[in-house]
Amino acid sequence: MAVRLPVVVRGGKELLCSRFLQLRSVSVDLNNDTPLLIDIPDALCERDKVKFTIHTKTTLNSFQKPDFSVSRQHEDFIWLHDTLVETEDYAGLIIPPVPPKPDFESPREKMHKLGEGEATMTKEEYTKMKQELEAEYLAVFKKTVQVHEIFLQRLSSHPAFSKDRNFQIFLEYDQDLSVRRKNAKEMFGGFFKNMVKSADEVLISGVKEVDEFFEQEKTFLLDYFGKIKDATAKAEKMTRSHKSMLLACTVTTPKIAELLEKLRKLEARVASDQELKLTELFRYYMRDIQAAKDLLYRRARALADYENSNKALDKARLKSKDVGQAEEHQQQCLQKFDKLSESGKKELTSFKARRVVAFRKNLIEMAELEIKHAKSNMSLLHACIEQLQSN
Amino acid sequence: MTAWEPPDSRRRSLHGYHCQAKMAEEREPPPLGDVGQADFVEVEDGEDLFVSTVTTIEQLSPTTPEPSCLPAEDISTNSNGPKQEILLDDDQEDLFAEATEEVSLDSPEREPILSDGPSPAITPVTPTVIITPRAEASMFDRSLDEDEDTEENGDTFDMQITVSDPEKVGDGMNAYMAYKVTTKTSLNLFSRNEFSVKRRFSDFLGLHSKLASKYMHIGYIVPPAPEKSIVGMTKVKVGKEDLSSAEFVEKRRSALQRYLTRTVTHPALLKDPDVIQFLENTELPRAVSTQALSGAGILRMVNKAAEAVNKMTIKMNESDAWFEEKQQQFENLDIQLRKLHASVESLVCHRKELSVNTASFAKSAAMLGNSEDHTALSRALSQLAEVEEKIDQLHQEQAYADFYLFSELLGDYVRLIAAVKGVFDQRMKTWSKWQDAQLLLQRKREAETKLQYANKPDKLQQAKDEIKEWETKVQQGERDFEQISKNIRQEVGRFEKQRVKDFKVVIIKYLESLVHTQQQLIKYWEAFLPEAKAIA
């Protein structure tokens, strides 16, 4: 991984931070041998904005070139996600959760402190804090690139989404997407947000479920969502306290200070690896389950619509007025509902498989990392003890 | 802190720092003419905590240039002057100080050396100061004799003190904790090899108070007793059987043990009758004046305040750079240790927080596992929860280690340094007393001169008597000052060695505890891995 370190402008001013990151893609999902391969090889951080370089390799004819890259901002991802949610055709699919906004709050705070305290700190303290700051930036960076990459890879490996026109535009359009984004915002606005709000209510209360499968799924997902949300929160707390547990050592002994510094860095690595593998996993699947719930909600809405259309048809038949229209409407609703149920079933089944695989992979990786770090920790400590004893 | 058994050569040199009332020091002699040379081989880069800042003569001893014994060069960032000079200075001063000691025993040949100057310690290395071979030879002879004595007295510092079995005695506000003090020793000082007594906290304070009043003014660093805690004790008295009061009692027990061990490690204090009585006697008169809110306690506080004011008004003419340097070093060390202490305490706090958060995550993961409908994944999640619980335990234990090993040691040393500073202050007071006596003598002389012209034979005789009296006082004052200066040098040397040793032992123990934690972590995660892999 190649990292270019930020240039710290002295004088307490806000840093202009330029950073390039070469990452090997670490994805939660299986990236099959698809004709569409996407990764985010690097990203640039400028003040508030993060610009991702999206690199696509494809054998599909629908694209103009087989290998190309574009630069996208976080807002572009949101736009893409929203258009997918709003697309009727995808109502029966689990729409991959939108990646969260890059959060540089914590490193930014640190940067302020660094700038302010510069005058009062010794050279060593300053350098050390600067290193910490860079490490934190790096961690946040890694995380945000990972979630954005996963989002795109989910889309590219899905039979329906990979063919989506907007997705293609997102990958290929070599200009700024902000114009399109503005239009989208005007059109959809807060519409779907309102939908999501009442989703849980509709799921839990109202509609009588006709299908055993969906009944089970509903119960499971609602319960699981609550648990994973709680687990995510606790994992976050745990990670946070792990990170803050630093032995800020002011011991002047260079050898000992050096060792304690190494230990500290190692601890920080352990904490951030745990975060990547565990906390991020839970966070991601919490959002994914929310997306699954959204699917259930849409299906429940469709069912409600269908039932309403039935009632309307009965009324129409009673009144002998607009029966044809009502029949047609009812048919449409039924079709929509069936379509949602069918694709929903498929989606939810594959979702479960995907989840199990992802958990397995991450849990294994986390355990292996923990073991690796503990071993290096131990050898560091042994070396130090030997050195002290031989003194 | 358990008592240690230092290896042979160091032992001897430690006892070489005895300042017996009757004899000259039992010191290992410097090899003739071999001052400040290549024996100071081990130069470790600036390991402040592990480097004594005082060259000690035994390092020149022909027996072993111990590598683990402190490198002589003061490489700490605190040192003011370039290293080499300090080395030589110390040597010269130490040797010279030794010669002075001979003088005070009234060996006439030594007179010329004393009259060289008012203060025994002369900083610049001038040819006149270099010891004549004759002086060296006699010192050599003497020291050899003394060495044999030390060997007989118990070559091994074989003494182990444990404080254990805290027991609550009595009820309500008059209740107190009684601790069992067990001594195991082969030293001749004591009538038995193993014995134990029951003591309460105020007994310890009483002991310290007696030792301080006996020895601090001649320059011995008397280890400070553990601090009082009205809040802590009240909880115990009231009978609050909770975790915090159990922790408090344990903290105190451990502190008392360290206190006693430090006290008996001091060669002079070990022989003190009060100490022996404390360790041996079944019954001890109750030390009432140690109560925090007693009349005596308040008097002590007032005295402390008065002393602080006095200290500010004494402007000492420091003719000895060694003392100035040392004081500065101790100031710096004090600041460093306090900082480190604060950061260790914050570490302990954070680790405890981490432990709490890990436990709550473990519970949450268990619930998630229950909720999971995929069997293998469910089992894996439950396993994860168990692992996290165990890790939480680990964190708690580690926090305990952080605290007891590191934090308490730092606290001890912060207080010890205060005692060291106190001893330096005593030297200032002694100097001040001496100066005042000189001033008064001068006035008396002036008065006498005046009386000579006034033809009052009675008053004249009285004046002459007074002059004699004050001349003696001035001499005594000077001797006291030299004595305390000498003692302080020895004490500081001893202190530095002990500090380096203490820190090294504790840091190694602490690192070992960290190793243990990591080993456990490896064990837990390696047990978890197959479970994770088993998810189908």
Side-chain angles (χ1 to χ4, degrees):
Chain A
M1 180 162 43
V3 171
R4 191 164 73 151
L5 302 178
V7 173
V8 179
V9 175
R10 290 196 175 231
K13 297 209 193 113
E14 174 99 359
L15 301 179
L16 223 203
C17 156
S18 236
R19 173 159 238 138
F20 289 92
L21 216 59
Q22 301 271 332
L23 272 184
R24 254 176 274 118
S25 50
V26 178
S27 64
V28 173
D29 295 319
L30 286 175
N31 213 354
N32 306 320
D33 251 330
T34 51
L36 188 60
L37 228 55
I38 304 179
D39 70 305
I40 302 185
D42 70 51
L44 182 86
C45 167
E46 244 170 53
R47 289 197 162 255
D48 261 4
K49 297 210 178 297
V50 183
K51 290 212 169 91
F52 302 93
T53 305
I54 320 289
H55 170 242
T56 315
K57 258 205 189 124
T58 178
T59 56
L60 296 174
N61 294 333
S62 43
F63 291 93
Q64 291 176 357
K65 286 181 272 184
D67 197 324
F68 51 90
S69 297
V70 294
S71 174
R72 291 287 174 252
Q73 290 178 20
H74 174 71
E75 287 73 20
D76 300 327
F77 285 78
I78 297 185
W79 165 80
L80 179 59
H81 175 260
D82 290 354
T83 57
L84 296 175
V85 167
E86 299 298 333
T87 310
E88 272 288 328
D89 281 347
Y90 301 144
L93 305 175
I94 297 179
I95 315 237
V98 65
K101 193 167 174 354
D103 178 20
F104 288 101
E105 189 53 48
S106 165
R108 198 169 295 129
E109 260 178 49
K110 262 210 168 99
M111 194 165 73
H112 273 299
K113 269 200 217 147
L114 194 69
E116 279 168 22
E118 191 192 331
T120 57
M121 286 194 243
T122 64
K123 186 121 206 291
E124 293 94 39
E125 281 178 8
Y126 185 77
T127 329
K128 205 171 64 173
M129 237 193 124
K130 191 163 150 232
Q131 277 174 0
E132 263 176 49
L133 178 63
E134 282 165 4
E136 217 175 302
Y137 247 97
L138 187 65
V140 173
F141 232 76
K142 249 170 142 173
K143 247 182 6 188
T144 195
V145 167
Q146 180 179 1
V147 286
H148 283 78
E149 197 179 60
I150 288 169
F151 173 70
L152 293 178
Q153 284 169 347
R154 277 279 293 276
L155 294 177
S156 71
S157 51
H158 192 284
F161 293 133
S162 56
K163 301 194 182 73
D164 181 81
R165 180 79 191 117
N166 284 320
F167 183 47
Q168 194 172 342
I169 292 173
F170 179 92
L171 291 175
E172 217 179 18
Y173 188 62
D174 55 3
Q175 309 283 330
D176 213 320
L177 285 179
S178 43
V179 177
R180 286 190 168 250
R181 277 194 278 129
K182 274 205 207 101
N183 294 338
K185 263 210 181 114
E186 281 157 13
M187 274 169 52
F188 301 128
F191 176 56
F192 88 102
K193 284 206 178 74
N194 292 331
M195 285 202 322
V196 170
K197 259 196 200 131
S198 52
D200 271 8
E201 294 163 22
V202 175
L203 277 182
I204 299 170
S205 62
V207 199
K208 186 179 180 309
E209 187 50 71
V210 294
D211 190 333
E212 186 60 39
F213 173 82
F214 282 98
E215 182 62 38
Q216 272 180 354
E217 278 304 307
K218 183 178 80 177
T219 320
F220 170 69
L221 283 178
L222 281 175
D223 176 46
Y224 199 81
F225 180 72
K227 302 277 164 52
I228 201 172
K229 189 161 169 216
D230 183 56
T232 308
K234 301 277 162 61
E236 282 176 346
K237 240 179 141 185
M238 184 171 74
T239 310
R240 250 201 314 270
S241 27
H242 205 164
K243 283 184 175 166
S244 68
M245 190 185 73
L246 314 160
L247 179 57
C249 214
T250 54
V251 177
T252 60
T253 324
K255 281 210 184 105
I256 304 300
E258 195 185 307
L259 161 83
L260 287 172
E261 197 43 45
K262 280 201 196 126
L263 278 176
R264 202 156 71 90
K265 284 206 180 107
L266 205 50
E267 265 318 296
R269 274 291 300 280
V270 173
S272 87
D273 279 344
Q274 183 188 64
E275 185 179 18
L276 262 179
K277 297 293 164 194
L278 193 62
T279 316
E280 275 302 303
L281 173 73
F282 283 6
R283 241 185 240 140
Y284 184 79
Y285 273 95
M286 184 178 81
R287 288 195 298 266
D288 219 4
I289 290 178
Q290 181 62 52
K293 273 175 33 181
D294 290 344
L295 166 61
L296 284 181
Y297 159 75
R298 288 193 291 270
R299 179 177 166 281
R301 274 295 282 264
L303 183 58
D305 287 344
Y306 173 59
E307 301 209 331
N308 288 341
S309 76
N310 268 337
K311 289 195 195 124
L313 181 59
D314 287 341
K315 237 194 244 171
R317 284 201 177 128
L318 266 166
K319 288 192 190 157
S320 295
K321 190 179 168 196
D322 291 325
V323 174
Q325 204 178 37
E327 271 178 356
E328 208 185 298
H329 183 59
Q330 191 235 34
Q331 276 311 304
Q332 278 176 349
C333 288
L334 182 60
Q335 267 171 15
K336 182 168 169 207
F337 175 67
D338 280 342
K339 185 169 150 222
L340 284 187
S341 298
E342 191 189 317
S343 77
K345 206 175 239 175
K346 256 193 276 174
E347 285 280 300
L348 287 171
T349 316
S350 72
F351 169 68
K352 180 171 302 199
R354 199 175 56 231
R355 190 183 80 240
V356 169
V357 165
F359 269 64
R360 177 177 188 276
K361 178 167 179 282
N362 276 38
L363 288 177
I364 292 176
E365 282 177 2
M366 181 176 77
E368 286 174 346
L369 277 174
E370 290 267 353
I371 294 172
K372 177 171 145 225
H373 289 320
K375 286 192 173 147
S376 19
N377 229 324
M378 245 177 53
S379 63
L380 246 184
L381 289 168
H382 275 309
C384 201
I385 292 177
E386 263 169 46
Q387 200 175 61
L388 283 176
Q389 280 172 337
S390 69
N391 263 351
Chain B
M1 233 173 77
T2 56
W4 41 265
E5 286 190 37
D8 267 308
S9 51
R10 216 186 293 166
R11 206 185 315 132
R12 228 180 301 150
S13 44
L14 189 79
H15 279 256
Y17 273 159
H18 271 201
C19 206
Q20 311 266 332
K22 351 173 207 153
M23 335 186 235
E25 294 114 39
E26 308 144 310
R27 276 244 206 110
E28 288 216 72
L32 292 172
D34 206 25
V35 173
Q37 256 126 36
D39 284 30
F40 305 111
V41 188
E42 330 295 324
V43 173
E44 236 64 45
D45 280 348
E47 294 195 3
D48 201 34
L49 283 185
F50 296 105
V51 171
S52 165
T53 52
V54 169
T55 37
T56 52
I57 291 200
E58 63 262 25
Q59 284 172 304
L60 302 173
S61 108
T63 46
T64 349
E66 288 192 331
S68 54
C69 209
L70 332 149
E73 296 196 21
D74 180 8
I75 317 195
S76 75
T77 47
N78 306 332
S79 95
N80 294 334
K83 314 175 211 168
Q84 282 310 119
E85 283 174 24
I86 297 174
L87 257 184
L88 291 175
D89 277 350
D90 272 353
D91 281 345
Q92 297 303 344
E93 281 154 8
D94 282 342
L95 291 175
F96 196 65
E98 203 150 283
T100 317
E101 178 65 13
E102 305 300 337
V103 175
S104 67
L105 297 178
D106 291 322
S107 22
E109 321 98 279
R110 307 292 171 253
E111 282 296 338
I113 300 174
L114 175 61
S115 59
D116 254 8
S119 142
I122 297 179
T123 328
V125 180
T126 63
T128 52
V129 165
I130 294 180
I131 310 300
T132 64
R134 214 163 113 232
E136 260 178 56
S138 60
M139 274 195 306
F140 192 70
D141 287 339
R142 230 199 185 95
S143 307
L144 264 183
D145 287 344
E146 264 111 45
D147 258 0
E148 266 153 12
D149 265 352
T150 330
E151 305 248 20
E152 276 166 19
N153 249 350
D155 215 16
T156 5
F157 184 77
D158 181 8
M159 183 152 181
Q160 193 191 42
I161 300 196
T162 29
V163 175
S164 57
D165 304 329
E167 241 178 17
K168 185 165 164 201
V169 176
D171 254 322
M173 286 313 284
N174 289 329
Y176 63 88
M177 287 306 247
Y179 301 88
K180 186 163 113 173
V181 178
T182 312
T183 316
K184 286 195 191 131
T185 177
S186 65
L187 294 175
N188 303 336
L189 285 170
F190 300 93
S191 44
R192 289 163 287 166
N193 276 3
E194 186 171 334
F195 46 90
S196 49
V197 292
K198 281 271 190 190
R199 295 282 177 256
R200 54 184 291 188
F201 187 66
S202 52
D203 294 335
F204 290 81
L205 295 182
L207 176 66
H208 169 74
S209 154
K210 286 195 200 132
L211 293 177
S213 61
K214 276 201 244 180
Y215 295 105
M216 288 229 9
H217 69 272
I218 56 173
Y220 286 171
I221 302 172
V222 176
E227 286 178 335
K228 282 197 261 265
S229 165
I230 297 182
V231 174
M233 256 336 265
T234 314
K235 271 203 210 153
V236 173
K237 287 185 189 189
V238 164
K240 220 166 166 238
E241 289 279 336
D242 68 351
L243 196 62
S244 70
S245 49
E247 267 181 35
F248 170 79
V249 170
E250 173 53 30
K251 225 168 105 172
R252 179 165 275 196
R253 181 209 66 78
S254 169
L256 289 173
Q257 184 167 309
R258 293 197 304 275
Y259 164 67
L260 280 183
T261 310
R262 283 209 183 91
T263 305
V264 300
T265 312
H266 193 299
L269 297 182
L270 171 60
K271 298 191 161 79
D272 183 280
D274 279 322
V275 171
I276 297 179
Q277 190 187 51
F278 181 90
L279 293 173
E280 275 190 330
N281 289 22
T282 332
E283 289 298 322
L284 210 62
R286 175 102 187 273
V288 235
S289 63
T290 59
Q291 277 164 340
L293 301 176
S294 67
I298 299 194
L299 191 63
R300 253 200 311 280
M301 283 197 291
V302 171
N303 277 342
K304 261 200 190 138
E307 271 184 40
V309 173
N310 278 344
K311 189 166 126 182
M312 292 192 281
T313 56
I314 298 179
K315 182 67 180 90
M316 177 163 169
N317 260 352
E318 189 58 79
S319 52
D320 187 354
W322 186 92
F323 283 92
E324 220 171 280
E325 246 169 61
K326 282 300 161 193
Q327 279 190 282
Q328 190 55 50
Q329 276 169 17
F330 279 113
E331 278 300 322
N332 293 348
L333 187 61
D334 192 21
I335 295 176
Q336 274 173 33
L337 287 183
R338 277 178 205 270
K339 262 201 216 156
L340 189 56
H341 191 196
S343 85
V344 171
E345 293 208 312
S346 118
L347 169 70
V348 171
C349 196
H350 279 133
R351 206 189 276 279
K352 285 197 179 151
E353 193 186 304
L354 174 61
S355 150
V356 164
N357 288 344
T358 309
S360 98
F361 171 73
K363 282 205 196 85
S364 186
M367 302 236 328
L368 189 63
N370 281 342
S371 185
E372 175 63 62
D373 60 353
H374 186 278
T375 354
L377 181 56
S378 165
R379 193 171 48 239
L381 284 173
S382 308
Q383 285 294 97
L384 179 68
E386 271 180 41
V387 168
E388 293 288 347
E389 239 180 78
K390 290 197 195 129
I391 291 181
D392 154 46
Q393 269 304 109
L394 221 57
H395 280 306
Q396 276 186 35
E397 285 164 20
Q398 185 61 58
Y400 181 92
D402 290 345
F403 180 69
Y404 276 104
L405 288 183
F406 233 144
S407 182
E408 288 282 271
L409 176 78
L410 290 172
D412 282 355
Y413 267 88
V414 166
R415 279 196 300 278
L416 266 170
I417 288 187
V420 172
K421 285 195 200 166
V423 140
F424 277 92
D425 290 342
Q426 287 292 336
R427 178 170 169 271
M428 266 201 338
K429 270 171 67 177
T430 311
W431 180 84
S432 173
K433 211 167 132 195
W434 175 33
Q435 295 302 312
D436 289 345
Q438 277 186 327
L439 227 69
L440 212 59
L441 176 63
Q442 192 160 344
R443 271 197 223 126
K444 297 282 177 200
R445 285 200 173 126
E446 285 169 5
E448 189 221 12
T449 327
K450 281 199 197 124
L451 283 174
Q452 278 189 336
Y453 292 114
N455 199 24
K456 286 183 189 159
D458 295 340
K459 288 232 168 101
L460 193 59
Q461 187 53 44
Q462 186 188 13
K464 283 205 198 291
D465 288 338
E466 279 180 5
I467 287 180
K468 275 229 171 56
E469 183 192 329
W470 281 98
E471 273 175 353
T472 326
K473 283 203 182 146
V474 166
Q475 275 176 6
Q476 184 60 45
E478 186 174 4
R479 274 202 293 272
D480 286 344
F481 180 71
E482 282 162 24
Q483 184 64 42
I484 195 176
S485 300
K486 193 165 82 127
N487 287 350
I488 290 182
R489 279 168 192 279
Q490 281 175 14
E491 287 287 282
V492 165
R494 214 180 52 86
F495 173 82
E496 298 278 273
K497 281 181 74 174
Q498 193 60 45
R499 180 193 67 160
V500 169
K501 200 177 286 163
D502 276 354
F503 272 81
K504 194 155 144 184
V505 163
V506 164
I507 289 197
I508 290 182
K509 267 208 200 128
Y510 178 67
L511 292 178
E512 286 175 347
S513 84
L514 287 179
V515 167
H516 171 78
T517 302
Q518 297 301 318
Q519 274 170 344
Q520 292 297 101
L521 277 177
I522 292 179
K523 209 171 82 183
Y524 297 152
W525 287 112
E526 281 183 342
F528 172 74
L529 198 51
E531 282 290 340
K533 290 193 169 149
I535 302 173

